[in-house]
């Protein structure tokens, strides 16, 4: 036993030594990637370089195999390291795609999501002004020489805010970041004669950066004049996705309204059923824990935000009623013990998902492995 | 510009050099942790050493700060490295807690979850026999000298399988791994006079190891005689959680039955609404993508498994009807534009979740950051 403890101790000393070397190398690497960020921002090269990244990963994975190391391990580690180095490069500030643009005005720029954009524009060297509720008496002065106006107010105020913007000059770009797109876009086109674009940033105010985040783009008018703005989003790391306002709204009914609403219902149900949350958590494996977390996380956030989205479009009520009917009809199968019919429906949906189901399974497996890392 | 490219190239060469050193160090580390695994399995020490792990992480995080490196980065990287080293240690086989036990028989040991246990017992040095459907004519021989019998058949066959087990000797432990516990436990107590324990492994057959996975334990009889089995689970890395069969079943109605059923309904709804899945995915940010993945992943799996769970207990139908009523009543608020009432309910649930909501938010944020790593 003493022999065992001695040997174990030797191994642990060796591991500690390796770990120290690892940390030192990581610090050195961080210094160099910060330098890369500086260089890139000087010439305006985007920070996110997918091709170089893939090359690097492929090489490292091959090297991993040659030294009998899991290539999955090496891939995971270096993805994490790269994410950190993107953050360090972000800190350098961003290239300004359109230095000639006049002032940018963010209406509601002190709000949660508005301030994200104010921050990003400022760190890219633009002149940014904020127009808040109390500033409307002097709004003419603030808006006078604007080259871009972004409406970033709560969804309930979007319409009335847009209607006040008839004063903009014809070369000013008018944009909004509301989570519905059809109505605001129409309102902007009605009130303003210049370039118009509807935007929906598919992220919350808690993002740490825009790398790989999606911004949905619904063209209104004169798209050539706001291309620089879309390029600026790309410099920040975001992906732009073009759809019509209608397509956007019906997709969002599903991914936002329906999901948020049923999550609220599920939380409400858990409460009403007097569930013992602590016991439930103790009995939950990573997958159940994650599902519970996806429900619980909603209730740490602003109810107005969710209510605004859920109440934004009466058409959604009809769609959610259809969900209820489907829920009732499948529950009816369970009540009648019609297992074969239930499985048939299940298989129908599985066919409809096709390969995506398997892809989702793999994707979530990887994620769950991460979630269940010792902590 | 040429100067820029030269400088960038220099940086990239330096990064590549560091990365190679990192991989070499990782390979060396892996060799040593494999050695630790060997040593530990010789003396029967558990692989998962939370205390040592925390010490190591604390030290590394402090070191990270001293070299101006994100301690979160270092923590994430080393958790991932440790997960890999647990896997390498697993490959060494496990300590056998009870080498004196007679044969272990797994009924349904070729099934999905059954085979996970057959594999783990075998790699721990136990003598394991499998009893499959076609083996029942010779079951008396197979069961004759068993020290532990585990029923791992589909939930629909659990009852009738248990009723065939009146032949076991009184010192044999009888256990099952069905996802309901009250009925099987009662059936086992009725048929067998010796030690009885109901188990519910809270993981699917696709786990890569048992580290941090939960096994729910419902005592039947003579718990002192199966303590070694629970210790064996711990050697494999699992956490045991004791509850009564009743508590288990009502918790599972919520985390399994209700969640699975509503996920099936949601998939069915997406199909019926003729949603364009590819477009939906393209428009989804990490959080929505994850929610969609949690739905889609279900449909890549065995429908019988889910149907068996959902159809297992008629009491669940009543509970799910209550969910439907709550869904309908909240939807009624939306239909009537009663936003203030809706927000009041939301806040009620938020109060009920208490600190857990914020914890879930933080937890899922970390996970989402991982999910949105460049890939």
């Amino acid at each position: 036993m003493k022999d065992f403890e001695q040997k174990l101790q030797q191994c642990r000393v060796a591991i500690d030594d390796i770990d120290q070397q690892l940390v030192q190398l990581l610090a050195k690497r961080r210094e160099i990637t910060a330098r890369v960020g500086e260089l890139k921002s000087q010439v305006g090269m985007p920070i996110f370089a997918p091709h170089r990244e893939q090359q690097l990963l492929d090489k490292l994975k091959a090297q991993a195999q040659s030294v009998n190391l899991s290539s999955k391990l090496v891939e995971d580690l270096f993805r994490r390291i790269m994410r950190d180095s993107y953050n360090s490069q972000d800190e350098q500030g961003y290239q300004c795609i359109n230095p000639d643009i006049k002032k940018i005005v963010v209406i509601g720029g002190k709000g949660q999501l508005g301030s994200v954009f104010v921050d990003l524009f400022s760190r890219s060297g633009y002149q940014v002004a904020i127009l808040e509720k109390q500033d409307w008496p002097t709004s003419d002065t603030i808006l006078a020489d604007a080259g871009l106006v972004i409406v970033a107010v709560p969804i309930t105020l979007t319409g009335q805010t847009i209607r006040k913007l008839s004063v903009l000059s014809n070369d000013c770009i008018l944009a909004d970041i509301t989570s519905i797109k059809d109505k605001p876009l129409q309102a902007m086109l009605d009130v303003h004669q210049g370039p118009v674009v509807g935007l929906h940033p598919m992220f919350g105010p808690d993002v740490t950066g825009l790398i790989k985040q999606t911004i949905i783009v619904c063209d209104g008018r004169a798209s050539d004049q706001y291309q620089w703005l879309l390029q600026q989003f790309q410099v920040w790391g975001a992906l732009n996705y073009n759809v019509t306002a209608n397509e956007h709204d019906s997709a969002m009914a599903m991914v936002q309204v329906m999901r948020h609403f049923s999550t609220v219902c599920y939380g409400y149900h858990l409460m009403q059923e007097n569930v013992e949350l602590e016991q439930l958590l103790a009995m939950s494996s990573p997958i159940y824990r994650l599902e519970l977390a996806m429900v619980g996380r909603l209730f740490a956030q602003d109810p107005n935000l969710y209510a605004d989205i859920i109440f934004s479009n009466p058409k959604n009520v009809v769609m959610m009623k259809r969900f209820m009917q489907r829920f009732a009809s499948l529950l009816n199968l369970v009540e009648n013990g019609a297992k074969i019919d239930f499985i048939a429906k299940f298989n129908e949906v599985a066919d409809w998902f096709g390969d995506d189901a398997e892809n989702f399974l793999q994707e979530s497996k990887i994620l769950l492995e991460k979630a269940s890392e010792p902590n």
Side-chain angles (χ1 to χ4, degrees), chain A:
Chain A
M1 198 61 190
K2 209 180 155 196
D3 185 43
F4 159 75
E5 271 170 16
Q6 208 171 16
K7 282 181 186 164
L8 184 64
Q9 194 48 36
Q10 279 170 4
C11 287
R12 287 184 163 174
V13 169
I15 291 171
D16 289 350
D17 180 48
I18 289 174
D19 289 349
Q20 272 186 26
Q21 292 181 51
L22 285 169
V23 172
Q24 277 160 8
L25 278 171
L26 289 169
K28 228 159 121 188
R29 194 184 195 281
R30 179 67 136 100
E31 275 170 32
I32 301 172
T33 54
R35 175 94 187 99
V36 171
E38 266 173 46
L39 287 171
K40 281 185 175 179
S41 80
Q42 280 163 19
V43 299
M45 214 170 135
I47 283 165
F48 183 41
H51 184 65
R52 152 87 178 154
E53 181 176 289
Q54 196 52 54
Q55 270 187 335
L56 214 150
L57 281 175
D58 289 344
K59 215 172 101 186
L60 289 167
K61 281 159 72 179
Q63 199 198 335
Q65 284 177 328
S66 75
V67 293
N68 215 2
L69 204 61
S70 150
S71 60
K72 191 75 197 66
L73 169 73
V74 167
E75 182 174 357
D76 286 351
L77 292 176
F78 278 92
R79 282 198 194 286
R80 181 64 185 86
I81 291 170
M82 285 172 196
R83 172 149 66 86
D84 182 70
S85 79
Y86 287 132
N87 289 343
S88 83
Q89 291 176 41
D90 278 359
E91 288 159 16
Q92 314 294 323
Y94 301 96
Q95 185 210 5
C96 180
I97 289 288
N98 191 356
D100 300 331
I101 190 81
K102 289 182 287 178
K103 193 171 58 180
I104 295 175
V105 178
V106 182
I107 304 178
K110 288 193 177 155
Q112 295 190 24
L113 201 50
S115 61
V116 171
F117 282 89
V118 169
D119 178 53
L120 287 165
F121 279 119
S122 305
R123 281 160 63 199
S124 309
Y126 293 96
Q127 189 200 341
V128 188
I130 292 174
L131 200 161
E132 285 288 326
K133 227 180 289 177
Q134 65 279 12
D135 304 322
W136 280 104
T138 56
S139 65
D140 281 3
T141 328
I142 299 173
L143 295 168
D145 55 343
L148 165 64
V149 171
I150 299 184
V151 179
V153 299
I155 191 170
T156 46
L157 304 175
T158 306
Q160 63 195 75
T161 304
I162 290 172
R163 279 191 293 277
K164 293 185 202 164
L165 297 175
S166 55
V167 295
L168 305 181
S169 69
N170 276 353
D171 62 347
C172 177
I173 301 163
L174 178 56
D176 80 308
I177 56 166
T178 320
S179 63
I180 55 170
K181 292 270 63 74
D182 195 32
K183 276 196 209 168
L185 192 63
Q186 204 47 59
M188 290 193 295
L189 287 168
D190 289 347
V191 82
H192 179 57
Q193 301 307 310
V196 166
V197 59
L199 303 169
H200 184 190
M202 296 298 291
F203 45 83
D206 54 340
V207 284
T208 45
L210 256 49
I211 299 280
K212 294 212 94 195
Q213 297 289 354
T214 301
I215 296 180
I216 293 176
V217 179
C218 301
D219 180 43
R221 185 191 293 131
S223 68
D224 54 311
Q225 291 188 54
Y226 61 74
Q227 284 309 306
W228 67 268
L229 182 62
L230 306 187
Q231 280 172 39
Q232 188 65 56
F233 295 160
Q234 284 172 334
V235 166
W236 295 338
L239 308 164
N240 300 310
Y241 186 77
N242 285 278
V243 278
T244 68
N246 258 324
E247 282 175 315
H248 168 275
D249 286 359
S250 66
M252 284 312 117
M254 209 52 75
V255 294
Q256 286 201 314
V257 182
M258 174 68 204
R259 285 309 275 165
H260 290 334
F261 180 75
S262 51
T263 300
V264 174
C265 291
Y266 190 67
Y268 185 60
H269 180 60
L270 285 173
M271 179 185 76
Q272 295 280 6
E273 291 286 314
N274 278 315
V275 158
E276 291 261 10
L277 199 55
E278 296 311 317
Q279 198 187 51
L280 217 58
L281 281 172
M283 290 167 83
S284 294
S285 271
I287 176 98
Y288 298 116
R289 195 183 165 83
L290 178 58
E291 293 201 331
L292 271 175
M294 296 295 281
V295 175
R297 77 189 299 279
L298 194 93
F299 295 96
Q301 295 174 77
D302 184 357
N304 291 290
L305 213 86
Y306 289 103
D308 282 349
I309 293 172
I310 291 167
F311 282 75
S312 64
N313 189 346
K315 262 197 276 182
N316 296 331
V317 173
V318 189
M319 178 272 289
M320 290 192 278
K321 279 192 178 165
R322 289 197 295 271
F323 172 79
M324 245 177 65
Q325 282 153 10
R326 285 161 192 149
F327 191 100
S329 79
L330 290 180
L331 192 53
N332 198 35
L333 294 181
V334 180
E335 191 165 19
N336 296 328
K339 202 189 264 190
I340 290 165
D341 296 339
F342 183 84
I343 289 173
K345 296 261 189 240
F346 186 106
N347 286 329
E348 223 181 296
V349 182
D351 286 346
W352 179 77
F353 267 103
D355 292 340
D356 283 326
E358 185 58 37
N359 296 340
F360 282 141
L361 184 62
Q362 294 312 322
E363 197 177 312
S364 59
K365 242 185 225 178
I366 291 167
L367 199 62
L368 285 171
E369 270 181 20
K370 289 179 183 169
S372 65
E373 274 168 21
N375 60 33

